[in-house]
Amino acid sequence: MKDWNALEPDKYALVGGHRFTRGRTRPIDRIVIHHNAGVNLTTEDCRDLWNNSREASAHYQVERDGTIGQLVNDGDTAWHAANADINARSIGIEHANIGGPPRWQISDETIENGARLVAALCRGYNLGRPTWGRNVFPHSAYASTSCPHQLAPGGEDHATYMARAQWWFDNWNTPNPSPKEPDMSPEDRALLIETRDLCRFIRDQLAGPGGSGGWPQGGKRTLYDLASAIAEIEGVPNTRDTL
């Protein structure tokens, strides 16, 4: 995580608009935990899988080395819980597996950084101390699934995961996880997150998803390039070189 206080992930690989609902109809009041049920998936792997094969998404992916990627902005509604009401009020976190069935092992780095992300989200959205069944839930609470497997009660990593989430919440400034904004108030943090999401939205509209340089629907062109192309087709003089 580049900045735990500002909830700034290590990288972005945002899914297309056909795999999430823009905005929210309810305030965030919980975190839903998932595992990939796939081996060594990256953030980009999840994005491509959801974009091309599955009508699903989540807000974050915690990779095997602890890298945290964002797939859906916090202010938007990801399709992760198989429950529209829960989707509207939750943040979904996916965790990479380093082994397949039946064990579905998860690395220590993924557990540590996933737990720290839970603590950061609980602080950032004033959810209170991470507590299973109160503000942190498994995917299986809302759908017929074993997800998140080892991170669920009875799984070999559940107790460690929640203990680390609570430790980070209780010891946020010991050591200080981000010296940039050590004394940021919840109100300022919420404003920073809202501003960040708005800037990303504007960037995406101008330069394509994740600032990728263009929209697939427009032949990987930016809105400016598309407008210029339309103007040329309609016989409007091209002003590209005079702007």
Side-chain angles (χ1 to χ4, degrees), residues 140-157:
S140 58
Y142 310 111
S144 180
T145 176
S146 64
C147 180
H149 208 69
Q150 298 292 9
L151 296 176
E156 60 189 60
D157 299 315

Side-chain angles (χ1 to χ4, degrees), residues 50-132:
W50 293 332
N51 274 346
N52 299 320
S53 304
R54 293 186 58 198
E55 293 185 359
S57 59
H59 293 92
Y60 294 94
Q61 164 76 354
V62 187
E63 300 181 3
R64 67 169 298 165
D65 64 354
T67 296
I68 295 175
Q70 184 133 32
L71 292 135
V72 175
N73 288 325
D74 292 3
D76 292 325
T77 302
W79 302 346
H80 63 97
N83 181 302
D85 177 63
I86 298 302
N87 286 343
R89 62 199 290 188
S90 65
I91 289 178
I93 305 176
E94 289 276 359
H95 297 79
N97 298 104
I98 58 173
R103 190 175 167 199
W104 294 115
Q105 302 101 307
I106 297 177
S107 72
D108 291 342
E109 293 82 4
T110 298
I111 293 169
E112 181 70 7
N113 283 278
R116 190 170 177 179
L117 177 58
V118 168
L121 291 167
C122 283
R123 283 176 50 87
Y125 293 103
N126 298 314
L127 304 184
R129 192 172 191 256
T131 303
W132 197 261

Side-chain angles (χ1 to χ4, degrees), residues 14 36-37 80 134 162 218:
L14 300 178
N36 288 160
H80 63 97
R134 188 178 72 189
M162 289 307 299

